[in-house]
Amino acid sequence: MKQHSGRYNPKSIVIYLIIIFAVLAVYWKTGNFDFINFDDGEYVYDNPRVPEGLSWDSIQWAFGFSKEALVFYWHPLTWISLMLDTHFFGINPGIHHLINVVFHAINSILLFIIFKQMTGSLWKSVFLALLFAVHPINVESVAWISERKNVLSTFFWLLTMLTYTHYALKPSLKKRIPMLIFFILGLLSKPMLVTLPFVFLLLDVWPLRRLQWFDAGNSDPREHLPEFRKATFGQLILEKLPLFILSFSSIGISVFSVHSTSQILPENMISFPLRISNAIVIYIKYIINLVWPHDMAVFYPFPQHIPAWQIVGAATLLIAITLSVIVFLKKAPYFSVGWFWYLGTLFPIIGIFQSGKWPEMADRWAYVPAIGLYLIVAWGASAVFDKYRIPRNIRIFGATAIIIILAVCTGRQVEHWKNSKTLFQHTVEVTENNSVAHFNLGAALSKEENFTQALTHYTQALLLEPSNSKIYSNMGTALARTGKIDEAIIAFKKAILLSPDYADAYLNLANALAQTEDVDAAILNYQKALALASPTKIKNWVDQRLVFHNTIGIALVKTSQLDKAIDHFKQAILLSPDDKDTRFNLANALVRNMEMDAAIEQYKKILSIDPNHIDAQSRLKKLSAYQDEFETAKKRIEDQLAPNPDNPVLHYQLGRFYENRGLPDKALESFRTAVDFNPVFWEALYRQALIHAGKKEYDKSISLFKQVVSLQPENAAIYYNIACLYSIQNQKTDAVDWLQKAIDSGYRNWERIKNDPDLENLRQTSFYKQLINEPAGRAPKR
């Protein structure tokens, strides 16, 4: 007898609406929630591809095996789902949340439809679906954007079940094709579906009753069941062979993906006996959380020790329940099916084989396994009520009360997922010795610039996990932001010592060193960070690199290394063209470097970004006035030159104006013209020599200075300048000769000789050492 599904009759539509209302009632508020700083960055806002939306390149990336694509494991359809979100709605956490909610609502409806079709029981199926829809244990799967993989893969899990139900009525190749397609799509969303073929074997026992030799109990006479095609056990296995092959292939890809990204934990990190013990205990803990949902957290730290009584007690209880369900297999087959559904679907993520930072347990892992226990509750409660002939209105009241209580608990649990701070504050409160919670709460507080409290939690995290380089790096950042630069540098160096390839730590150290004006060490660490980081990481470092270039630029300005400072400010502007502070720093450096026109251009750019930038307005006004004065003075000289074009003094004055305006080439032209008209015009030769020295054209500068010496043999400063130029080029013998000549000519600025960086290459010469040790006023003789 063919059973009408009833999917489109008014009663079913009302049930769909009830389920949707229940889901929205507890989860609608997530549309106003933020990302959290635990996995959401890797999945969405810091991901190399997801923010760009959907494209052919991003699809290839999703199906590829790059380290970024395998950041957790291979799940290309999940990546594509998140890319579709950003393609149409941008980086909008509310939309990501609501799409998770939509999937959960659809999953709840599908669960109702499937069990209604398989069992013929309307109200048990409704109760089962509502338990799934509003139970607090599912909050993590729905309210966590990163768990899109969970709700999406379950969507395809349920569609595969639905198509299998249709297939089981009258098996055919045509019906098998959509089942295989949905199964593959589920595996592409998350490997969780590897256990589904085994679940189908359970369903073949009950409620499909497909085994020829097994009578799975009597159905409720009020339920009108469809007649599913009978088969032998061997036939049932054979028809599922393609599903098993796909499952084992998915397991192989998953193992490859976690190995290729080094996520497998070392054997000595968590001992195998401890993993087995924990697996036994948490099977019972999940049941406790389902019956009494309390103290639920996003991360439960893996225990270092489990009391023997817990292990023995949990193992005894598991064995007792398993033996009981076997005994009652025929009388209460739903008990067996639900129990083995729970045990089997939870097994792959029970923690025996681990990757990444594995928790003791995780609420999200119960999303599908708990359906087996909901099944036991829905059908078991009905059996008890039937046995004791409980009136229908009491049944309805009891079921409604349970759903309302669970919905209230879920609503409260959802509130904790508002943002990183609320989530990890709650996690710290309900768990103990949780370094992950303390670390992420510290990061959330740092984002709010509450660095004092952040440091408290980082310190607590380090006490629990003293070899975690990331904690040291984040702590260093918080210390730097509170002005404790020396302590920050120590923390960053500790992070690097623990993880020598930790690119973020090198960048953070570079920023801290830049603040101490240790320019060389800062640049060295910055370059190390860039060498270690992937292109994606470098792209995501925009803000930190901006800080580095600005800080280094400011330090270089203080030491009058203006050209280098200007170069760093320009690099910062390439990273963020609309950053007003960077442009202001650049403009000020250009002014000090006498590049007035370029400075004016930067001040104008700042005002185009922010017309109310008071400092830029003031500086531009002063520079404009200076420019007007320059143009007036320039015009006056040019007017004087018009009737006297061969006047060297006027050409010299014009050159000085150009020099002061930061126009060295024009200045050189005027000085050369002055010398053309007056070859012994030593001041014009001197200015040319200085300009060539500034342009690092040392040979030209020395030649010009020597011409000045021939005209001004008693000018000791000229000898000194020549000595400096030879020293810069590491020509020590010539440098010492000219420094001796300077001293012989009366040069006595001993403080400058001691500190002038141009003489650095002479510091270790015997002449220089003797010179510095001589009493003031006397000079050594070579």
Side-chain angles (χ1 to χ4, degrees):
M1 170 178 156
K2 186 175 181 179
Q3 173 69 18
H4 185 272
S5 68
R7 282 175 291 168
Y8 306 111
N9 63 40
K11 183 181 289 186
S12 293
I13 292 173
V14 169
I15 290 169
Y16 300 158
L17 293 175
I18 289 172
I19 293 172
I20 291 171
F21 174 78
V23 171
L24 292 181
V26 294
Y27 288 112
W28 183 254
K29 66 186 75 172
T30 62
N32 296 316
F33 287 5
D34 201 353
F35 292 110
I36 66 165
N37 59 11
F38 193 40
D39 289 358
D40 281 356
E42 289 89 340
Y43 270 102
V44 186
Y45 56 85
D46 278 339
N47 187 275
R49 293 287 184 169
V50 171
E52 298 172 1
L54 197 63
S55 67
W56 178 242
D57 286 343
S58 63
I59 292 172
Q60 287 181 304
W61 174 86
F63 278 91
F65 289 89
S66 67
K67 189 170 183 179
E68 289 85 2
L70 297 179
V71 64
F72 298 100
Y73 43 73
W74 194 69
H75 48 27
L77 206 58
T78 295
W79 290 132
I80 290 172
S81 169
L82 294 167
M83 289 171 189
L84 281 170
D85 291 1
T86 58
H87 187 86
F88 291 106
F89 306 106
I91 305 297
N92 186 330
I95 294 296
H96 290 296
H97 280 299
L98 290 178
I99 291 176
N100 274 19
V101 173
V102 169
F103 273 116
H104 182 60
I106 294 172
N107 291 343
S108 303
I109 291 171
L110 284 172
L111 198 60
F112 160 72
I113 292 171
I114 290 164
F115 277 91
K116 171 63 174 64
Q117 288 190 13
M118 288 194 300
T119 66
S121 175
L122 176 67
W123 295 113
K124 295 173 194 172
S125 301
V126 171
F127 188 54
L128 168 68
L130 285 172
L131 284 173
F132 176 80
V134 303
H135 199 289
I137 207 165
N138 289 338
V139 169
E140 187 171 294
S141 295
V142 183
W144 191 359
I145 292 171
S146 296
E147 282 308 301
R148 171 66 56 82
K149 58 185 179 291
N150 216 16
V151 293
L152 182 63
S153 63
T154 303
F155 170 69
F156 290 115
W157 172 298
L158 294 169
L159 286 177
T160 308
M161 280 185 65
L162 185 62
T163 52
Y164 180 71
T165 303
H166 294 162
Y167 167 83
L169 282 168
K170 190 176 182 181
S172 68
L173 179 61
K174 183 179 179 181
K175 290 184 177 180
R176 183 178 289 191
I177 291 172
M179 178 178 67
L180 288 172
I181 290 173
F182 287 134
F183 185 65
I184 291 169
L185 292 174
L187 291 173
L188 293 175
S189 304
K190 185 181 180 181
M192 183 72 182
L193 274 78
V194 296
T195 57
L196 183 53
F198 299 95
V199 170
F200 284 165
L201 290 174
L202 291 174
L203 298 177
D204 287 336
V205 175
W206 183 90
L208 301 182
R209 299 177 171 87
R210 294 189 65 199
L211 276 173
Q212 290 180 343
W213 55 269
F214 183 80
D215 181 10
N218 298 319
S219 64
D220 189 326
R222 294 167 296 181
E223 298 172 350
H224 303 287
L225 297 176
E227 295 180 3
F228 295 99
R229 183 68 60 89
K230 298 285 187 179
T232 66
F233 185 73
Q235 289 172 330
L236 293 175
I237 292 287
L238 188 62
E239 73 179 9
K240 296 171 183 63
L241 188 58
L243 299 178
F244 283 115
I245 292 172
L246 289 168
S247 289
F248 286 114
S249 299
S250 178
I251 291 171
I253 292 173
S254 297
V255 170
F256 168 77
S257 69
V258 295
H259 272 287
S260 65
T261 52
S262 302
Q263 294 185 59
I264 295 294
L265 295 182
E267 288 291 328
N268 60 356
M269 182 170 287
I270 298 175
S271 68
F272 193 74
L274 181 58
R275 287 186 246 168
I276 293 291
S277 300
N278 185 68
I280 293 169
V281 171
I282 64 172
Y283 264 120
I284 301 302
K285 283 189 175 181
Y286 276 116
I287 297 173
I288 293 171
N289 279 355
L290 283 162
V291 175
W292 180 35
H294 69 293
D295 292 347
M296 307 178 84
V298 64
F299 188 89
Y300 303 96
F302 204 94
Q304 295 181 349
H305 170 74
I306 300 175
W309 69 266
Q310 289 187 13
I311 301 168
V312 173
T316 303
L317 194 55
L318 286 174
I319 293 170
I321 296 173
T322 303
L323 291 175
S324 298
V325 302
I326 293 173
V327 169
F328 289 98
L329 177 58
K330 287 192 174 183
K331 187 175 181 180
Y334 53 83
F335 194 4
S336 300
V337 170
W339 180 247
F340 287 115
W341 174 314
Y342 169 68
L343 293 183
T345 56
L346 193 59
F347 181 78
I349 30 87
I350 205 69
I352 296 175
F353 304 102
Q354 301 185 358
S355 64
K357 186 179 281 293
W358 202 270
E360 174 195 27
M361 56 191 290
D363 297 343
R364 60 189 179 277
W365 291 341
Y367 192 66
V368 169
I371 293 172
L373 300 181
Y374 303 146
L375 180 64
I376 292 173
V377 171
W379 266 259
S382 178
V384 171
F385 290 158
D386 286 346
K387 181 178 180 179
Y388 293 101
R389 298 180 181 179
I390 304 298
R392 185 167 180 267
N393 58 344
I394 294 179
R395 299 185 187 197
I396 294 172
F397 175 80
T400 303
I402 290 171
I403 297 301
I404 291 174
I405 291 170
L406 289 174
V408 170
C409 293
T410 297
R412 291 177 179 174
Q413 183 65 21
V414 168
E415 286 291 338
H416 299 310
W417 286 82
K418 188 177 297 181
N419 53 51
S420 301
K421 180 180 175 181
T422 56
L423 178 64
F424 288 104
Q425 182 64 56
H426 170 71
T427 304
V428 165
E429 291 169 358
V430 299
T431 62
E432 295 180 354
N433 301 324
N434 197 331
S435 66
V436 171
H438 282 291
F439 172 77
N440 284 281
L441 179 55
L445 291 165
S446 291
K447 188 176 180 181
E448 295 181 353
E449 299 193 359
N450 188 347
F451 299 109
T452 302
Q453 285 191 34
L455 284 168
T456 300
H457 289 285
Y458 287 143
T459 302
Q460 187 63 40
L462 273 180
L463 290 174
L464 298 167
E465 204 171 353
S467 61
N468 190 315
S469 58
K470 196 168 185 179
I471 300 174
Y472 274 107
S473 184
N474 278 31
M475 174 177 274
T477 300
L479 287 166
R481 293 297 301 274
T482 55
K484 301 175 181 177
I485 303 299
D486 292 338
E487 292 180 47
I489 289 172
I490 293 171
F492 293 137
K493 288 181 177 179
K494 181 66 175 178
I496 291 169
L497 184 65
L498 291 168
S499 299
D501 295 334
Y502 189 8
D504 290 85
Y506 283 102
L507 180 59
N508 291 333
L509 178 58
N511 282 325
L513 290 168
Q515 292 185 57
T516 66
E517 300 181 16
D518 190 348
V519 174
D520 292 337
I523 292 174
L524 183 65
N525 282 279
Y526 178 73
Q527 292 170 340
K528 182 71 173 177
L530 296 185
L532 288 170
S534 65
T536 301
K537 171 70 76 174
I538 293 170
K539 182 180 177 182
N540 291 338
W541 272 350
V542 170
D543 289 343
Q544 288 178 286
R545 291 171 67 201
L546 193 67
V547 169
F548 171 79
H549 284 300
N550 266 307
T551 309
I552 283 289
I554 292 168
L556 289 166
V557 167
K558 290 179 180 178
T559 56
S560 298
Q561 299 179 68
L562 297 174
D563 289 336
K564 290 181 180 179
I566 288 168
D567 180 62
H568 279 283
F569 291 138
K570 287 180 177 178
Q571 288 186 58
I573 286 173
L574 288 175
L575 295 171
S576 182
D578 292 334
D579 190 88
K580 297 175 292 185
D581 293 337
T582 303
R583 288 193 180 274
F584 191 71
N585 290 337
L586 173 59
N588 293 340
L590 289 167
V591 169
R592 288 192 59 175
N593 209 37
M594 300 308 296
E595 298 180 47
M596 303 303 182
D597 291 335
I600 288 172
E601 182 183 347
Q602 290 302 322
Y603 287 130
K604 287 181 177 178
K605 180 64 178 177
I606 294 168
L607 292 174
S608 71
I609 298 169
D610 178 10
N612 297 318
H613 197 291
I614 297 174
D615 290 333
Q617 290 174 349
S618 174
R619 299 288 178 96
L620 180 59
K621 185 176 180 180
K622 290 178 181 178
L623 268 188
S624 297
Y626 178 82
Q627 186 180 38
D628 290 342
E629 292 174 6
F630 169 79
E631 292 298 333
T632 301
K634 177 186 168 188
K635 188 175 184 307
R636 184 174 67 248
I637 295 172
E638 289 175 340
D639 288 344
Q640 292 175 0
L641 273 172
N644 301 290
D646 55 353
N647 187 321
V649 175
L650 292 175
H651 284 288
Y652 175 79
Q653 290 177 352
L654 185 59
R656 289 291 285 155
F657 273 108
Y658 282 130
E659 193 177 12
N660 290 333
R661 284 289 296 165
L663 301 169
D665 292 333
K666 284 185 173 293
L668 278 174
E669 184 181 343
S670 294
F671 292 140
R672 286 169 184 158
T673 303
V675 172
D676 287 342
F677 290 119
N678 182 4
V680 296
F681 197 162
W682 73 269
E683 292 92 339
L685 290 168
Y686 181 79
R687 300 314 305 180
Q688 289 182 64
L690 290 177
I691 292 173
H692 282 297
K695 296 171 73 174
K696 298 182 180 180
E697 298 170 354
Y698 301 125
D699 291 340
K700 289 182 180 180
S701 180
I702 289 171
S703 177
L704 287 163
F705 275 132
K706 286 181 178 178
Q707 290 183 53
V708 176
V709 166
S710 67
L711 298 171
Q712 293 283 309
E714 302 300 323
N715 192 332
I718 309 301
Y719 296 102
Y720 180 81
N721 288 341
I722 295 174
C724 288
L725 292 174
Y726 277 125
S727 175
I728 288 170
Q729 298 177 85
N730 205 26
Q731 298 179 28
K732 297 178 183 177
T733 301
D734 290 330
V736 167
D737 286 341
W738 284 92
L739 185 55
Q740 179 71 68
K741 291 177 182 180
I743 294 169
D744 290 344
S745 299
Y747 193 85
R748 292 295 183 271
N749 191 340
W750 304 112
E751 191 63 30
R752 184 174 181 184
I753 292 173
K754 288 181 181 180
N755 300 307
D756 195 334
D758 291 344
L759 296 180
E760 185 62 36
N761 289 325
L762 296 186
R763 303 279 188 236
Q764 300 305 316
T765 64
S766 58
F767 173 81
Y768 183 86
K769 291 178 179 178
Q770 185 181 0
L771 175 66
I772 295 304
N773 292 328
E774 283 291 324
R778 295 179 56 188
K781 295 297 180 182
R782 298 182 69 221

